């Protein structure tokens, strides 16, 4: 199957600093990628939809100025957590769908990034 | 708004027992349905998916799911679980539209004792 790679797998940062997470589709192009957040023992919550060449679409309650998304190419989307605080500590997961212009395609997920803000 | 409901939060079974995990969704249109598994410390893996056709879908590792449109359900089943099936299971739904995200259920933790 298609491969989606996230980097880093885990990161620890100090409160007030910013952290960038990369999501790459390694063997396909993805005009659309999705960013999810998973709290311990909970489900994946969609944060935003990342569209190549245009602004991301954020879900209700997600601060766009805090979670900056850039989708600069067909194989790379980045999520930057700005001025991170301990409550931003979570597991962040991206997904991408090959041939996003078509229906009935499976989404592939990155391995996730564990962010710990101290 | 779409939503996915998984009825069982934590299921504990002995090896060789049969498994059924419930999943119901709310969405008025055509949907794509998925079950994902997340083993401890690993990322999500697709177990099976339904787009159209035969409502009984067979996936990897002996899992299957049945789509019952009238009940808005997509329950996951396995006739005989193994210790290695211990994991978190997520049901997910997406509208049958290009470029739409998956909406996940809260997940079910399956613990299988040997």
């Amino acid at each position: 199957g298609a491969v989606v790679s996230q980097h880093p797998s885990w990161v620890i940062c100090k409160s007030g600093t910013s952290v960038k997470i990369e999501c790459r589709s390694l063997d396909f192009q993805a005009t659309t990628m999705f960013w999810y957040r998973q709290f311990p023992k909970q489900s994946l919550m969609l944060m935003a939809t990342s569209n190549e060449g245009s602004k991301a679409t954020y879900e209700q309650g997600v601060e766009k100025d805090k979670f900056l998304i850039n989708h600069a190419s067909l194989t790379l989307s980045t999520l930057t957590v700005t001025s991170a605080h301990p409550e931003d500590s979570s597991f962040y997961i991206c997904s991408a769908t090959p041939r996003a212009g078509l229906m009935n395609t499976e989404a592939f997920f990155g391995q996730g990034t564990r962010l710990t803000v101290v | 708004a779409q939503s996915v409901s998984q009825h069982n939060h934590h299921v504990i079974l002995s090896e060789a027992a049969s498994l059924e995990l419930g999943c119901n969704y709310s969405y008025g249109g055509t949907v794509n349905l998925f079950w994902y598994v997340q083993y401890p410390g690993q990322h999500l893996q697709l177990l099976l998916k339904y787009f159209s056709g035969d409502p009984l879908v067979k996936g990897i590792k002996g899992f299957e799911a049945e789509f019952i449109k009238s009940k808005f359900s997509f329950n996951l089943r396995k006739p005989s679980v193994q210790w290695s099936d211990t994991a978190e299971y997520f049901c997910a739904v997406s509208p049958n539209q290009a470029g739409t995200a998956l909406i996940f259920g809260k997940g079910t933790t399956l613990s299988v004792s040997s």
Side-chain angles (χ1 to χ4, degrees):
Chain A
V3 177
V4 174
S5 176
Q6 259 183 264
H7 179 80
S9 298
W10 59 270
V11 58
I12 301 173
C13 71
K14 290 185 177 180
S15 188
T17 62
S18 296
V19 174
K20 180 185 284 188
I21 303 170
E22 294 187 346
C23 178
R24 293 180 184 274
S25 56
L26 297 186
D27 50 3
F28 64 94
Q29 293 183 334
T31 55
T32 304
M33 292 184 176
F34 304 98
W35 287 95
Y36 295 84
R37 183 174 180 176
Q38 185 180 26
F39 291 102
K41 305 294 185 183
Q42 295 189 32
S43 186
L44 284 76
M45 300 299 296
L46 179 66
M47 297 176 65
T49 301
S50 171
N51 302 297
E52 188 269 337
S54 64
K55 292 183 179 180
T57 304
Y58 290 81
E59 295 299 300
Q60 191 172 8
V62 178
E63 299 176 58
K64 60 180 67 177
D65 293 331
K66 179 161 192 64
F67 298 100
L68 300 179
I69 291 173
N70 185 282
H71 195 152
S73 76
L74 288 172
T75 59
L76 174 63
S77 175
T78 60
L79 168 68
T80 301
V81 183
T82 63
S83 186
H85 288 96
E87 57 265 30
D88 298 324
S89 298
S90 191
F91 194 56
Y92 294 87
I93 306 173
C94 72
S95 78
T97 304
R99 299 175 295 161
L102 302 177
M103 297 180 289
N104 290 349
T105 53
E106 171 190 341
F108 293 90
F109 288 83
Q111 68 270 41
T113 297
R114 173 75 59 194
L115 170 63
T116 302
V117 184
V118 297
Chain B
Q2 308 140 41
S3 66
V4 179
S5 175
Q6 289 183 241
H7 317 299
N8 316 101
H9 180 64
H10 192 181
V11 173
I12 302 173
L13 295 173
S14 300
E15 275 195 316
S18 63
L19 169 72
E20 180 160 2
L21 301 182
C23 173
N24 286 88
Y25 66 94
S26 65
Y27 182 71
T30 304
V31 294
N32 299 325
L33 298 156
F34 307 83
W35 275 97
Y36 285 87
V37 61
Q38 187 175 32
Y39 297 102
Q42 298 187 28
H43 60 93
L44 286 173
Q45 299 177 35
L46 181 68
L47 272 180
L48 46 77
K49 60 190 175 187
Y50 173 82
F51 291 151
S52 64
D54 188 344
L56 184 61
V57 179
K58 294 194 182 299
I60 62 171
K61 305 186 181 186
F63 287 91
E64 65 177 32
E66 183 175 14
F67 171 48
I68 303 179
K69 188 175 182 180
S70 61
K71 296 184 177 180
F72 298 89
S73 70
F74 190 55
N75 292 355
L76 180 71
R77 299 193 291 251
K78 185 170 183 178
S80 176
V81 296
Q82 300 172 323
W83 177 81
S84 57
D85 293 325
T86 296
E88 190 83 13
Y89 292 82
F90 295 97
C91 179
V93 171
S94 72
N96 189 16
Q97 300 169 12
T100 54
L102 271 64
I103 305 301
F104 285 83
K106 290 187 182 296
T108 298
T109 302
L110 172 64
S111 299
V112 180
S113 59
S114 56

